[in-house]
Amino acid sequence: MKVDVLLGLQWGDEGKGKIVDVLTPNYSVVTRFQGGPNAGHTLEFENQKYVLRSVPSGIFQGDKINIIGNGVVLDPALFKAEIEQLEQSGHKLTERLLISRKAHLILPTHRLLDAALEQAKGKGKIGTTGKGIGPTYTDKISRNGLRVGDIEKNFEEKYKNAIERHKEILSHYDFEYDLAPIEKEWLAGVEKLRQFTFIDSEQYINKTLDSGKGILAEGAQGTMLDVDFGSYPFVTSSNTISAGACTGLGVSPRRIGEVFGIFKAYCTRVGSGPFPTELEDAIGEELRKLGHEFGAVTGRPRRCGWIDLVALKYAVTINGVSQLIMMKSDVLDQFKTIKACVAYKVNGIETKDFPFDINEGVEPIYKEFPGWCTDMTKTTSESQFPKEYSNYIKFIEEYLGVPVKFVSVGPDREQTIKR
Ligand code: GDP
Ligand code: IMO
Ligand code: MG
C-alpha cells in the first residue's frame, strides 16, 4: 500500500483538517509529517468544533492509529493542553496516538527566540505564529536539536545544555523575558508526553504499508509557505510540499500514492509577505466576514483575495497533485461576479509562470465569472450544482490540468460533495 498525501496549495488554512477527517475512514493510519503547533486544523461534526495543533486530524474516526512523524516539531506544553482538552471532551488518545522518537522538541527558549528574532526584524518581521517553529528547525539543521527520543535518556543534562546555549543567544538581543513560568509549564508537558508511546515511526510506517494498510499523511501550512518554494523569506521553516512527506516520515518517493491538493475557492494569507491577489477593499472585507477568516491559532484577521491560478498551477506542479479539493466555495455564494487571476504582469510583461520574486512589480490579470448566487450549503450532489458553479470548477480544472474530486460547501463534515 501507499502513503497518500493531503496538503494545502495556498498560504495555509485551506481546510486540511476537515478533509483529513472526511478521508480517514479509507485509511488505517493518519500521520503529520512537518510543522508543529503553528498549525490550527479545524474540524466540525455533530455540532462540535475542534481545533487541532499537533495531533493529526484522524483521531475522531473510530480507533485509527495517528502518528506524529519525525518531521514534526513538538511543544510538550502545548501538546499537554491540546490532549487535556480532548480528554475533557471524551477523547482518550494514549492508546492510538504514537510519537516519533525523531520528532524535534520545541523548547521554551525556542519560543522566546522566535519572539526576539521577530522583534529584531522590526518592520521586516515574518509575522510568525510565535510558537518557536523557526528556531527549532534552525537547531535541527545546525545539529543542536533535542528530540523526543532524548526524553528517554539523560534528558535533564541535554535540556540544561540546550537552555544555556539559548540564553547566551538571547543575551545578544534587546529582549526581556521570564523563563521560569514557561519552563515549569513545559516540564509538566514533558511528563504528559511520557504517557504516550514513542516509536521509530519510519519503521512502523513502512511495516504498516508492507502489511497492506494505507496511510494518509496530513500536511500543515501550505505550498506558498514552503521554505524552498514559498514566498521566501515570508514562509515557515519546513517543507510543506509532498516531498516533505518522504523526509518527514521516512518513506521512499515510490511509496507515495495520491496527492490531494486543497485550495479555497478564493485565497487567504495570515502574517506578512506578498499576496498578489489581495483585496484591501470592501470585497476583501466581505470575504473575511463571510468566510470567518480569522486565524484558528492566533485569532489574527486573515488577508483575503481572489483565487490565484498562477500560484496554484505552480503548487500543483511542485506537489504532483493528482486530485484537487475545492474548499469554502459557499463563501462566494452571494457574489454576482467572481474573479480568478489567470496570469501575472511582471514588470509590464505578461506571464503564466510563477516568478522568483513576487514581492514587487507583480500585477494580477483577472478573468471574470458570473456568480452562481445560490445557497450551496445544503447541496448534497453534483446534479444540484448551478451552471455557473460547474463552469467555475471546469475552468479551474482545465487551467490546472487536474480534476476537482471534492468540493466543500460548509465547515461540517457532512458538507462535502464527492464528484
Ligand atoms: P486548515 O488549517 O487547513 O485545517 O484550515 P483551518 O481550520 O485553519 O481553516 C479553515 C476554516 O474554514 C475552519 O474554520 C473550517 O471550519 C472552515 N471551513 C472548512 N471548510 C469550509 C467550507 O467549505 N465552507 C466554510 N464556510 N467553511 C469551511
Ligand atoms: P495551517 O496548518 C496559515 C504562517 C505564519 C507566518 C509564517 C511563518 O493551519 O494551515 P511560523 O510560525 O510557521 O514560523 O510562521 O507562516 N503560518 C501559517 N499560516 N496556516 C498555518 O497553518 C500556518 N502556519 C504558519 O502566519 O506568516
Ligand atoms: Mg489552519
Side-chain angles (χ1 to χ4, degrees), residues 197-313:
T197 307
F198 303 158
I199 59 165
D200 296 321
S201 54
E202 66 282 20
Q203 294 178 21
Y204 185 100
I205 285 168
N206 280 291
K207 281 180 189 160
T208 300
L209 298 172
D210 290 344
S211 69
K213 293 179 180 162
I215 296 180
L216 180 62
E218 172 181 6
Q221 292 75 60
T223 302
M224 301 318 289
L225 290 169
D226 180 89
V227 67
D228 279 275
F229 301 103
S231 48
Y232 194 88
F234 300 100
V235 294
T236 191
S237 298
S238 66
N239 280 117
T240 60
I241 58 169
S242 55
C246 294
T247 55
L249 297 177
V251 294
S252 148
R254 288 189 290 145
R255 297 203 102 155
I256 302 294
E258 296 296 323
V259 179
F260 299 105
I262 299 209
F263 64 97
K264 283 180 194 174
Y266 50 101
C267 195
T268 64
R269 164 160 215 177
V270 57
S272 331
F275 179 2
T277 60
E278 181 170 14
L279 295 164
E280 291 173 285
D281 58 7
I283 299 176
E285 195 53 52
E286 189 83 350
L287 285 170
R288 184 156 39 249
K289 200 173 92 218
L290 293 169
H292 305 289
E293 294 295 356
F294 296 88
V297 172
T298 56
R300 290 181 290 178
R302 295 177 183 146
R303 300 154 64 194
C304 296
W306 296 119
I307 197 167
D308 181 343
L309 293 174
V310 178
L312 269 180
K313 176 87 185 168

Side-chain angles (χ1 to χ4, degrees), residues 12-14 16 38-42 296-297 302:
D13 303 328
E14 296 89 349
K16 299 174 290 293
N38 47 349
H41 293 182
T42 315
V297 172
R302 295 177 183 146

Side-chain angles (χ1 to χ4, degrees), residues 12-18 40-44 49 264 290-291 296 302 327-331 408-411 415:
D13 303 328
E14 296 89 349
K16 299 174 290 293
K18 168 181 164 166
H41 293 182
T42 315
L43 290 79
E44 285 192 41
K49 179 172 164 175
K264 283 180 194 174
L290 293 169
R302 295 177 183 146
M327 307 299 291
K328 300 191 92 158
S329 56
D330 54 298
V331 174
S408 175
V409 292
Q415 292 171 300

